[in-house]
Amino acid sequence: MKATQNPPTTGTVTPADLLRMAALYLRRHGWHQGTYYNTDPDTLTPPACAVGAIGMACAGHRVEYFYGLDPDTQVTFRQIVGLLTVYLDATAPVFFIDEDGYLLDEHTSPYSWNDDPTRTAEQVVTALEAAATEWDRLHTAGGENR
């Protein structure tokens, strides 16, 4: 297919596909911490955090405030961030001790998880890809009917 041709519009893009697209985006354009995207407004494809990369995969462009997306894209974006959160809860759970000494289980925020100073780009890409594999495992026949 030539670059000037339109891509095929048939087929279904699964949540796993979007997670893999986000991982690929980070591999190609770089990873970022602290905000959705590197702050250079002139860059169409800036380095992104995990959630910013999911936004790029869902919307196809840089979006600073995801509540400004059209309703269908916003639902998809929130679904994919939720899938990453569920994956992180299962693989990197966050526990806190309250003031009474009780162990509390909290949802793992993909935002703070991404921004952990010890986090690496490879860990973020790996988590996105692993979450995609887990979605395939749970929603397809052996992860092969994509």
Side-chain angles (χ1 to χ4, degrees), residues 34-108:
T35 57
Y36 287 138
Y37 306 108
N38 181 320
T39 56
D40 182 1
D42 295 329
T43 304
L44 292 176
T45 54
C49 74
V51 176
I54 290 171
M56 290 294 257
C58 293
H61 56 82
R62 180 179 178 153
V63 180
E64 296 298 333
Y65 300 102
F66 292 105
Y67 55 79
L69 292 169
D70 68 80
D72 289 339
T73 305
Q74 187 180 110
V75 166
T76 300
F77 167 75
R78 289 176 185 266
Q79 176 190 23
I80 304 309
V81 172
L83 289 172
L84 178 59
T85 302
V86 167
Y87 174 79
L88 293 174
D89 280 348
T91 61
V94 175
F95 298 99
F96 296 102
I97 305 292
D98 71 8
E99 61 275 354
D100 296 324
Y102 291 101
L103 182 64
L104 303 176
D105 184 8
E106 297 286 326
H107 286 294
T108 305

Side-chain angles (χ1 to χ4, degrees), residues 8-32:
T9 56
T10 59
T12 302
V13 176
T14 68
D17 293 331
L18 290 169
L19 287 162
R20 287 188 184 95
M21 287 179 212
L24 180 60
Y25 181 89
L26 293 178
R27 287 194 188 281
R28 289 185 175 170
H29 303 288
W31 173 64
H32 182 68

